[in-house]
Amino acid sequence: QVQLVESGGGLVQPGGSLRLSCAASGSIFSIYAMGWYRQAPGKQRELVAAITSGGSTNYADSVKGRFTISRDNAKNTVYLQMNSLKPEDTAVYYCNADIITATMSDLDYWGQGTQVTVSS
């Protein structure tokens, strides 16, 4: 069994910062790409940022220069540092990981989601 557990969401004022964390645990052999998606009410889920096992990153245009994704491979954890937050960043943020399990299955896993609300 593999689980992704997210933390760090909450309510923040415009211009503020939050740091999301997502830890993978369970029968893991290796983790390829990890990423963060978000879904606002009435909208489709969209990619926010992703990072490969080697550290290559990509970002949605809307967050470039404000958000930074990073990972700690030793801890199977991915982070999303969010600065200069805007009301339009309000959404449920989901962690995603491409994981090779101990049984050598290549599967896509999702976290349960964490709410980020940017409001004054």
mmCIF file of all heavy atoms in Angstrom, residues 67-112:
data_model
loop_
_atom_site.group_PDB
_atom_site.id
_atom_site.type_symbol
_atom_site.label_atom_id
_atom_site.label_comp_id
_atom_site.label_asym_id
_atom_site.label_seq_id
_atom_site.Cartn_x
_atom_site.Cartn_y
_atom_site.Cartn_z
ATOM 1 N N PHE A 67 5.818 30.549 -7.187
ATOM 2 C CA PHE A 67 5.815 29.233 -6.539
ATOM 3 C C PHE A 67 7.121 28.511 -6.845
ATOM 4 O O PHE A 67 7.682 28.661 -7.940
ATOM 5 C CB PHE A 67 4.663 28.379 -7.052
ATOM 6 C CG PHE A 67 3.293 28.833 -6.643
ATOM 7 C CD1 PHE A 67 3.072 30.056 -6.017
ATOM 8 C CD2 PHE A 67 2.198 28.008 -6.883
ATOM 9 C CE1 PHE A 67 1.806 30.456 -5.648
ATOM 10 C CE2 PHE A 67 0.918 28.387 -6.513
ATOM 11 C CZ PHE A 67 0.725 29.627 -5.904
ATOM 12 N N THR A 68 7.567 27.704 -5.884
ATOM 13 C CA THR A 68 8.763 26.885 -6.080
ATOM 14 C C THR A 68 8.482 25.471 -5.601
ATOM 15 O O THR A 68 8.073 25.277 -4.459
ATOM 16 C CB THR A 68 9.956 27.455 -5.308
ATOM 17 O OG1 THR A 68 10.210 28.797 -5.729
ATOM 18 C CG2 THR A 68 11.202 26.615 -5.555
ATOM 19 N N ILE A 69 8.712 24.503 -6.479
ATOM 20 C CA ILE A 69 8.558 23.103 -6.116
ATOM 21 C C ILE A 69 9.931 22.519 -5.820
ATOM 22 O O ILE A 69 10.924 22.862 -6.483
ATOM 23 C CB ILE A 69 7.844 22.304 -7.233
ATOM 24 C CG1 ILE A 69 7.477 20.904 -6.737
ATOM 25 C CG2 ILE A 69 8.684 22.248 -8.502
ATOM 26 C CD1 ILE A 69 6.559 20.132 -7.686
ATOM 27 N N SER A 70 9.993 21.665 -4.811
ATOM 28 C CA SER A 70 11.236 20.989 -4.475
ATOM 29 C C SER A 70 10.906 19.616 -3.901
ATOM 30 O O SER A 70 9.749 19.347 -3.589
ATOM 31 C CB SER A 70 12.052 21.807 -3.461
ATOM 32 O OG SER A 70 11.326 21.986 -2.263
ATOM 33 N N ARG A 71 11.915 18.774 -3.768
ATOM 34 C CA ARG A 71 11.670 17.447 -3.205
ATOM 35 C C ARG A 71 12.887 16.979 -2.428
ATOM 36 O O ARG A 71 14.016 17.370 -2.705
ATOM 37 C CB ARG A 71 11.292 16.440 -4.293
ATOM 38 C CG ARG A 71 12.354 16.156 -5.310
ATOM 39 C CD ARG A 71 11.801 15.327 -6.474
ATOM 40 N NE ARG A 71 11.675 13.912 -6.149
ATOM 41 C CZ ARG A 71 11.124 13.007 -6.975
ATOM 42 N NH1 ARG A 71 10.647 13.391 -8.151
ATOM 43 N NH2 ARG A 71 11.055 11.731 -6.617
ATOM 44 N N ASP A 72 12.589 16.132 -1.453
ATOM 45 C CA ASP A 72 13.627 15.473 -0.664
ATOM 46 C C ASP A 72 13.486 13.986 -0.943
ATOM 47 O O ASP A 72 12.572 13.333 -0.420
ATOM 48 C CB ASP A 72 13.431 15.790 0.818
ATOM 49 C CG ASP A 72 14.534 15.208 1.693
ATOM 50 O OD1 ASP A 72 15.144 14.188 1.295
ATOM 51 O OD2 ASP A 72 14.772 15.752 2.782
ATOM 52 N N ASN A 73 14.344 13.463 -1.803
ATOM 53 C CA ASN A 73 14.212 12.064 -2.209
ATOM 54 C C ASN A 73 14.418 11.099 -1.046
ATOM 55 O O ASN A 73 13.827 10.022 -1.016
ATOM 56 C CB ASN A 73 15.194 11.753 -3.339
ATOM 57 C CG ASN A 73 14.822 12.454 -4.641
ATOM 58 O OD1 ASN A 73 13.652 12.705 -4.920
ATOM 59 N ND2 ASN A 73 15.816 12.792 -5.443
ATOM 60 N N ALA A 74 15.252 11.466 -0.100
ATOM 61 C CA ALA A 74 15.494 10.598 1.055
ATOM 62 C C ALA A 74 14.245 10.454 1.916
ATOM 63 O O ALA A 74 14.063 9.438 2.593
ATOM 64 C CB ALA A 74 16.641 11.144 1.893
ATOM 65 N N LYS A 75 13.394 11.483 1.891
ATOM 66 C CA LYS A 75 12.168 11.467 2.696
ATOM 67 C C LYS A 75 10.924 11.192 1.858
ATOM 68 O O LYS A 75 9.814 11.209 2.385
ATOM 69 C CB LYS A 75 12.000 12.810 3.417
ATOM 70 C CG LYS A 75 13.083 13.105 4.437
ATOM 71 C CD LYS A 75 12.825 14.443 5.127
ATOM 72 C CE LYS A 75 13.896 14.736 6.171
ATOM 73 N NZ LYS A 75 13.653 16.052 6.852
ATOM 74 N N ASN A 76 11.107 10.961 0.557
ATOM 75 C CA ASN A 76 9.955 10.742 -0.342
ATOM 76 C C ASN A 76 8.927 11.856 -0.204
ATOM 77 O O ASN A 76 7.720 11.606 -0.159
ATOM 78 C CB ASN A 76 9.302 9.383 -0.080
ATOM 79 C CG ASN A 76 10.161 8.214 -0.520
ATOM 80 O OD1 ASN A 76 11.036 8.363 -1.377
ATOM 81 N ND2 ASN A 76 9.941 7.066 0.073
ATOM 82 N N THR A 77 9.410 13.070 -0.138
ATOM 83 C CA THR A 77 8.543 14.213 0.129
ATOM 84 C C THR A 77 8.731 15.292 -0.933
ATOM 85 O O THR A 77 9.860 15.564 -1.359
ATOM 86 C CB THR A 77 8.836 14.791 1.518
ATOM 87 O OG1 THR A 77 8.582 13.784 2.508
ATOM 88 C CG2 THR A 77 7.965 15.998 1.810
ATOM 89 N N VAL A 78 7.625 15.890 -1.319
ATOM 90 C CA VAL A 78 7.651 17.017 -2.254
ATOM 91 C C VAL A 78 7.037 18.226 -1.558
ATOM 92 O O VAL A 78 6.123 18.085 -0.736
ATOM 93 C CB VAL A 78 6.905 16.677 -3.558
ATOM 94 C CG1 VAL A 78 5.429 16.409 -3.320
ATOM 95 C CG2 VAL A 78 7.100 17.761 -4.605
ATOM 96 N N TYR A 79 7.580 19.388 -1.873
ATOM 97 C CA TYR A 79 7.136 20.632 -1.256
ATOM 98 C C TYR A 79 6.683 21.620 -2.336
ATOM 99 O O TYR A 79 7.153 21.569 -3.473
ATOM 100 C CB TYR A 79 8.266 21.280 -0.453
ATOM 101 C CG TYR A 79 8.891 20.366 0.566
ATOM 102 C CD1 TYR A 79 10.044 19.628 0.271
ATOM 103 C CD2 TYR A 79 8.332 20.211 1.826
ATOM 104 C CE1 TYR A 79 10.628 18.793 1.195
ATOM 105 C CE2 TYR A 79 8.903 19.369 2.763
ATOM 106 C CZ TYR A 79 10.051 18.662 2.443
ATOM 107 O OH TYR A 79 10.612 17.818 3.359
ATOM 108 N N LEU A 80 5.803 22.530 -1.939
ATOM 109 C CA LEU A 80 5.430 23.638 -2.804
ATOM 110 C C LEU A 80 5.449 24.910 -1.968
ATOM 111 O O LEU A 80 4.591 25.096 -1.098
ATOM 112 C CB LEU A 80 4.050 23.430 -3.427
ATOM 113 C CG LEU A 80 3.636 24.484 -4.455
ATOM 114 C CD1 LEU A 80 4.521 24.376 -5.706
ATOM 115 C CD2 LEU A 80 2.166 24.333 -4.830
ATOM 116 N N GLN A 81 6.438 25.740 -2.200
ATOM 117 C CA GLN A 81 6.517 27.040 -1.541
ATOM 118 C C GLN A 81 5.747 28.039 -2.394
ATOM 119 O O GLN A 81 6.080 28.245 -3.564
ATOM 120 C CB GLN A 81 7.970 27.481 -1.395
ATOM 121 C CG GLN A 81 8.140 28.848 -0.759
ATOM 122 C CD GLN A 81 7.690 28.882 0.691
ATOM 123 O OE1 GLN A 81 7.982 27.989 1.470
ATOM 124 N NE2 GLN A 81 6.951 29.938 1.053
ATOM 125 N N MET A 82 4.730 28.642 -1.792
ATOM 126 C CA MET A 82 3.864 29.563 -2.517
ATOM 127 C C MET A 82 4.007 30.955 -1.917
ATOM 128 O O MET A 82 3.670 31.167 -0.741
ATOM 129 C CB MET A 82 2.405 29.096 -2.437
ATOM 130 C CG MET A 82 2.208 27.671 -2.946
ATOM 131 S SD MET A 82 0.470 27.185 -2.972
ATOM 132 C CE MET A 82 0.126 27.143 -1.218
ATOM 133 N N ASN A 83 4.516 31.880 -2.711
ATOM 134 C CA ASN A 83 4.698 33.265 -2.275
ATOM 135 C C ASN A 83 3.816 34.195 -3.102
ATOM 136 O O ASN A 83 3.323 33.822 -4.169
ATOM 137 C CB ASN A 83 6.168 33.673 -2.432
ATOM 138 C CG ASN A 83 7.106 32.844 -1.583
ATOM 139 O OD1 ASN A 83 6.753 32.383 -0.493
ATOM 140 N ND2 ASN A 83 8.324 32.646 -2.066
ATOM 141 N N SER A 84 3.644 35.399 -2.616
ATOM 142 C CA SER A 84 2.850 36.418 -3.327
ATOM 143 C C SER A 84 1.501 35.837 -3.759
ATOM 144 O O SER A 84 1.081 35.993 -4.911
ATOM 145 C CB SER A 84 3.624 36.934 -4.544
ATOM 146 O OG SER A 84 4.864 37.481 -4.164
ATOM 147 N N LEU A 85 0.842 35.192 -2.843
ATOM 148 C CA LEU A 85 -0.418 34.518 -3.161
ATOM 149 C C LEU A 85 -1.506 35.508 -3.560
ATOM 150 O O LEU A 85 -1.575 36.634 -3.030
ATOM 151 C CB LEU A 85 -0.871 33.665 -1.985
ATOM 152 C CG LEU A 85 -0.116 32.332 -1.865
ATOM 153 C CD1 LEU A 85 -0.238 31.779 -0.456
ATOM 154 C CD2 LEU A 85 -0.629 31.335 -2.879
ATOM 155 N N LYS A 86 -2.325 35.075 -4.489
ATOM 156 C CA LYS A 86 -3.422 35.888 -5.020
ATOM 157 C C LYS A 86 -4.743 35.180 -4.761
ATOM 158 O O LYS A 86 -4.785 33.951 -4.624
ATOM 159 C CB LYS A 86 -3.241 36.079 -6.527
ATOM 160 C CG LYS A 86 -1.914 36.686 -6.937
ATOM 161 C CD LYS A 86 -1.789 36.719 -8.453
ATOM 162 C CE LYS A 86 -0.453 37.306 -8.885
ATOM 163 N NZ LYS A 86 -0.333 37.333 -10.371
ATOM 164 N N PRO A 87 -5.847 35.911 -4.727
ATOM 165 C CA PRO A 87 -7.148 35.255 -4.538
ATOM 166 C C PRO A 87 -7.410 34.166 -5.574
ATOM 167 O O PRO A 87 -8.047 33.155 -5.248
ATOM 168 C CB PRO A 87 -8.138 36.418 -4.686
ATOM 169 C CG PRO A 87 -7.372 37.609 -4.205
ATOM 170 C CD PRO A 87 -5.965 37.378 -4.695
ATOM 171 N N GLU A 88 -6.917 34.351 -6.776
ATOM 172 C CA GLU A 88 -7.136 33.336 -7.814
ATOM 173 C C GLU A 88 -6.331 32.053 -7.597
ATOM 174 O O GLU A 88 -6.507 31.083 -8.333
ATOM 175 C CB GLU A 88 -6.836 33.907 -9.208
ATOM 176 C CG GLU A 88 -5.499 34.589 -9.343
ATOM 177 C CD GLU A 88 -5.593 36.110 -9.166
ATOM 178 O OE1 GLU A 88 -6.323 36.562 -8.258
ATOM 179 O OE2 GLU A 88 -4.926 36.825 -9.938
ATOM 180 N N ASP A 89 -5.464 32.036 -6.589
ATOM 181 C CA ASP A 89 -4.765 30.807 -6.224
ATOM 182 C C ASP A 89 -5.613 29.924 -5.309
ATOM 183 O O ASP A 89 -5.230 28.793 -4.998
ATOM 184 C CB ASP A 89 -3.446 31.120 -5.509
ATOM 185 C CG ASP A 89 -2.440 31.820 -6.410
ATOM 186 O OD1 ASP A 89 -2.302 31.401 -7.574
ATOM 187 O OD2 ASP A 89 -1.802 32.775 -5.937
ATOM 188 N N THR A 90 -6.756 30.438 -4.879
ATOM 189 C CA THR A 90 -7.639 29.668 -4.011
ATOM 190 C C THR A 90 -8.124 28.408 -4.720
ATOM 191 O O THR A 90 -8.657 28.475 -5.836
ATOM 192 C CB THR A 90 -8.851 30.521 -3.598
ATOM 193 O OG1 THR A 90 -8.388 31.627 -2.806
ATOM 194 C CG2 THR A 90 -9.855 29.699 -2.803
ATOM 195 N N ALA A 91 -7.911 27.267 -4.083
ATOM 196 C CA ALA A 91 -8.268 25.982 -4.682
ATOM 197 C C ALA A 91 -7.937 24.871 -3.690
ATOM 198 O O ALA A 91 -7.284 25.110 -2.661
ATOM 199 C CB ALA A 91 -7.499 25.750 -5.985
ATOM 200 N N VAL A 92 -8.375 23.672 -4.026
ATOM 201 C CA VAL A 92 -7.881 22.489 -3.340
ATOM 202 C C VAL A 92 -6.634 22.028 -4.095
ATOM 203 O O VAL A 92 -6.679 21.851 -5.317
ATOM 204 C CB VAL A 92 -8.931 21.372 -3.301
ATOM 205 C CG1 VAL A 92 -8.353 20.132 -2.621
ATOM 206 C CG2 VAL A 92 -10.190 21.833 -2.572
ATOM 207 N N TYR A 93 -5.565 21.857 -3.367
ATOM 208 C CA TYR A 93 -4.286 21.459 -3.955
ATOM 209 C C TYR A 93 -4.061 19.966 -3.700
ATOM 210 O O TYR A 93 -4.176 19.502 -2.568
ATOM 211 C CB TYR A 93 -3.148 22.280 -3.373
ATOM 212 C CG TYR A 93 -3.096 23.679 -3.942
ATOM 213 C CD1 TYR A 93 -4.086 24.614 -3.630
ATOM 214 C CD2 TYR A 93 -2.078 24.071 -4.806
ATOM 215 C CE1 TYR A 93 -4.056 25.901 -4.173
ATOM 216 C CE2 TYR A 93 -2.027 25.345 -5.341
ATOM 217 C CZ TYR A 93 -3.025 26.254 -5.027
ATOM 218 O OH TYR A 93 -2.998 27.524 -5.566
ATOM 219 N N TYR A 94 -3.711 19.257 -4.781
ATOM 220 C CA TYR A 94 -3.518 17.815 -4.711
ATOM 221 C C TYR A 94 -2.075 17.464 -5.065
ATOM 222 O O TYR A 94 -1.527 17.981 -6.048
ATOM 223 C CB TYR A 94 -4.442 17.104 -5.682
ATOM 224 C CG TYR A 94 -5.904 17.253 -5.394
ATOM 225 C CD1 TYR A 94 -6.641 18.293 -5.963
ATOM 226 C CD2 TYR A 94 -6.563 16.345 -4.558
ATOM 227 C CE1 TYR A 94 -8.004 18.436 -5.698
ATOM 228 C CE2 TYR A 94 -7.916 16.480 -4.287
ATOM 229 C CZ TYR A 94 -8.628 17.528 -4.865
ATOM 230 O OH TYR A 94 -9.971 17.661 -4.602
ATOM 231 N N CYS A 95 -1.515 16.560 -4.305
ATOM 232 C CA CYS A 95 -0.200 16.019 -4.592
ATOM 233 C C CYS A 95 -0.362 14.803 -5.505
ATOM 234 O O CYS A 95 -1.321 14.038 -5.367
ATOM 235 C CB CYS A 95 0.451 15.612 -3.275
ATOM 236 S SG CYS A 95 2.019 14.754 -3.431
ATOM 237 N N ASN A 96 0.578 14.635 -6.409
ATOM 238 C CA ASN A 96 0.565 13.508 -7.334
ATOM 239 C C ASN A 96 1.963 12.927 -7.438
ATOM 240 O O ASN A 96 2.950 13.669 -7.405
ATOM 241 C CB ASN A 96 0.086 13.974 -8.709
ATOM 242 C CG ASN A 96 0.213 12.908 -9.765
ATOM 243 O OD1 ASN A 96 1.200 12.845 -10.481
ATOM 244 N ND2 ASN A 96 -0.778 12.034 -9.832
ATOM 245 N N ALA A 97 2.050 11.605 -7.557
ATOM 246 C CA ALA A 97 3.367 10.979 -7.699
ATOM 247 C C ALA A 97 3.280 9.741 -8.575
ATOM 248 O O ALA A 97 2.316 8.968 -8.482
ATOM 249 C CB ALA A 97 3.928 10.608 -6.334
ATOM 250 N N ASP A 98 4.287 9.580 -9.397
ATOM 251 C CA ASP A 98 4.440 8.397 -10.247
ATOM 252 C C ASP A 98 5.390 7.459 -9.509
ATOM 253 O O ASP A 98 6.591 7.731 -9.430
ATOM 254 C CB ASP A 98 5.007 8.810 -11.602
ATOM 255 C CG ASP A 98 5.225 7.641 -12.533
ATOM 256 O OD1 ASP A 98 4.841 6.508 -12.186
ATOM 257 O OD2 ASP A 98 5.807 7.848 -13.623
ATOM 258 N N ILE A 99 4.845 6.363 -8.972
ATOM 259 C CA ILE A 99 5.592 5.524 -8.031
ATOM 260 C C ILE A 99 5.761 4.115 -8.549
ATOM 261 O O ILE A 99 4.796 3.516 -9.050
ATOM 262 C CB ILE A 99 4.893 5.508 -6.654
ATOM 263 C CG1 ILE A 99 4.937 6.917 -6.040
ATOM 264 C CG2 ILE A 99 5.536 4.486 -5.726
ATOM 265 C CD1 ILE A 99 4.177 7.050 -4.739
ATOM 266 N N ILE A 100 6.977 3.614 -8.432
ATOM 267 C CA ILE A 100 7.241 2.197 -8.660
ATOM 268 C C ILE A 100 7.133 1.515 -7.299
ATOM 269 O O ILE A 100 7.902 1.813 -6.384
ATOM 270 C CB ILE A 100 8.638 1.952 -9.252
ATOM 271 C CG1 ILE A 100 8.852 2.800 -10.511
ATOM 272 C CG2 ILE A 100 8.853 0.483 -9.526
ATOM 273 C CD1 ILE A 100 7.921 2.438 -11.640
ATOM 274 N N THR A 101 6.173 0.610 -7.174
ATOM 275 C CA THR A 101 5.953 -0.040 -5.886
ATOM 276 C C THR A 101 6.968 -1.157 -5.659
ATOM 277 O O THR A 101 7.738 -1.520 -6.552
ATOM 278 C CB THR A 101 4.540 -0.618 -5.797
ATOM 279 O OG1 THR A 101 4.451 -1.716 -6.716
ATOM 280 C CG2 THR A 101 3.504 0.422 -6.146
ATOM 281 N N ALA A 102 6.932 -1.711 -4.484
ATOM 282 C CA ALA A 102 7.843 -2.802 -4.138
ATOM 283 C C ALA A 102 7.598 -4.032 -5.005
ATOM 284 O O ALA A 102 8.493 -4.871 -5.154
ATOM 285 C CB ALA A 102 7.693 -3.152 -2.668
ATOM 286 N N THR A 103 6.414 -4.132 -5.584
ATOM 287 C CA THR A 103 6.097 -5.246 -6.484
ATOM 288 C C THR A 103 6.359 -4.874 -7.937
ATOM 289 O O THR A 103 5.934 -5.579 -8.854
ATOM 290 C CB THR A 103 4.626 -5.669 -6.332
ATOM 291 O OG1 THR A 103 3.793 -4.535 -6.604
ATOM 292 C CG2 THR A 103 4.353 -6.186 -4.936
ATOM 293 N N MET A 104 7.040 -3.739 -8.156
ATOM 294 C CA MET A 104 7.456 -3.282 -9.477
ATOM 295 C C MET A 104 6.294 -2.873 -10.375
ATOM 296 O O MET A 104 6.386 -2.970 -11.603
ATOM 297 C CB MET A 104 8.341 -4.318 -10.178
ATOM 298 C CG MET A 104 9.624 -4.578 -9.427
ATOM 299 S SD MET A 104 10.572 -3.043 -9.241
ATOM 300 C CE MET A 104 11.677 -3.483 -7.918
ATOM 301 N N SER A 105 5.216 -2.414 -9.764
ATOM 302 C CA SER A 105 4.127 -1.827 -10.526
ATOM 303 C C SER A 105 4.349 -0.325 -10.615
ATOM 304 O O SER A 105 4.708 0.313 -9.620
ATOM 305 C CB SER A 105 2.786 -2.107 -9.846
ATOM 306 O OG SER A 105 2.531 -3.491 -9.806
ATOM 307 N N ASP A 106 4.123 0.230 -11.806
ATOM 308 C CA ASP A 106 4.267 1.675 -12.028
ATOM 309 C C ASP A 106 2.874 2.293 -11.949
ATOM 310 O O ASP A 106 2.068 2.121 -12.875
ATOM 311 C CB ASP A 106 4.905 1.936 -13.393
ATOM 312 C CG ASP A 106 5.186 3.413 -13.636
ATOM 313 O OD1 ASP A 106 4.763 4.246 -12.815
ATOM 314 O OD2 ASP A 106 5.827 3.726 -14.655
ATOM 315 N N LEU A 107 2.590 2.979 -10.854
ATOM 316 C CA LEU A 107 1.238 3.476 -10.610
ATOM 317 C C LEU A 107 1.261 4.965 -10.276
ATOM 318 O O LEU A 107 2.246 5.493 -9.757
ATOM 319 C CB LEU A 107 0.595 2.697 -9.457
ATOM 320 C CG LEU A 107 0.428 1.193 -9.679
ATOM 321 C CD1 LEU A 107 -0.049 0.513 -8.396
ATOM 322 C CD2 LEU A 107 -0.552 0.919 -10.813
ATOM 323 N N ASP A 108 0.133 5.589 -10.549
ATOM 324 C CA ASP A 108 -0.059 7.009 -10.303
ATOM 325 C C ASP A 108 -0.881 7.168 -9.022
ATOM 326 O O ASP A 108 -1.966 6.583 -8.909
ATOM 327 C CB ASP A 108 -0.822 7.615 -11.490
ATOM 328 C CG ASP A 108 -0.631 9.103 -11.590
ATOM 329 O OD1 ASP A 108 0.497 9.576 -11.360
ATOM 330 O OD2 ASP A 108 -1.604 9.802 -11.917
ATOM 331 N N TYR A 109 -0.355 7.935 -8.078
ATOM 332 C CA TYR A 109 -1.043 8.124 -6.803
ATOM 333 C C TYR A 109 -1.388 9.588 -6.569
ATOM 334 O O TYR A 109 -0.662 10.496 -7.026
ATOM 335 C CB TYR A 109 -0.162 7.628 -5.647
ATOM 336 C CG TYR A 109 -0.007 6.136 -5.608
ATOM 337 C CD1 TYR A 109 1.023 5.507 -6.296
ATOM 338 C CD2 TYR A 109 -0.896 5.340 -4.878
ATOM 339 C CE1 TYR A 109 1.169 4.128 -6.273
ATOM 340 C CE2 TYR A 109 -0.750 3.961 -4.850
ATOM 341 C CZ TYR A 109 0.270 3.377 -5.550
ATOM 342 O OH TYR A 109 0.404 2.005 -5.522
ATOM 343 N N TRP A 110 -2.484 9.782 -5.829
ATOM 344 C CA TRP A 110 -2.951 11.123 -5.488
ATOM 345 C C TRP A 110 -3.111 11.265 -3.980
ATOM 346 O O TRP A 110 -3.502 10.315 -3.294
ATOM 347 C CB TRP A 110 -4.297 11.410 -6.151
ATOM 348 C CG TRP A 110 -4.223 11.541 -7.634
ATOM 349 C CD1 TRP A 110 -4.332 10.545 -8.546
ATOM 350 C CD2 TRP A 110 -3.996 12.750 -8.370
ATOM 351 N NE1 TRP A 110 -4.191 11.054 -9.815
ATOM 352 C CE2 TRP A 110 -3.997 12.412 -9.739
ATOM 353 C CE3 TRP A 110 -3.812 14.085 -8.017
ATOM 354 C CZ2 TRP A 110 -3.800 13.347 -10.748
ATOM 355 C CZ3 TRP A 110 -3.623 15.023 -9.014
ATOM 356 C CH2 TRP A 110 -3.618 14.655 -10.368
ATOM 357 N N GLY A 111 -2.845 12.464 -3.492
ATOM 358 C CA GLY A 111 -3.151 12.772 -2.110
ATOM 359 C C GLY A 111 -4.624 13.117 -1.955
ATOM 360 O O GLY A 111 -5.372 13.182 -2.928
ATOM 361 N N GLN A 112 -5.015 13.368 -0.713
ATOM 362 C CA GLN A 112 -6.428 13.618 -0.420
ATOM 363 C C GLN A 112 -6.828 15.064 -0.699
ATOM 364 O O GLN A 112 -8.017 15.369 -0.753
ATOM 365 C CB GLN A 112 -6.724 13.286 1.058
ATOM 366 C CG GLN A 112 -6.291 14.348 2.062
ATOM 367 C CD GLN A 112 -4.806 14.351 2.359
ATOM 368 O OE1 GLN A 112 -4.022 13.585 1.784
ATOM 369 N NE2 GLN A 112 -4.397 15.217 3.276
#
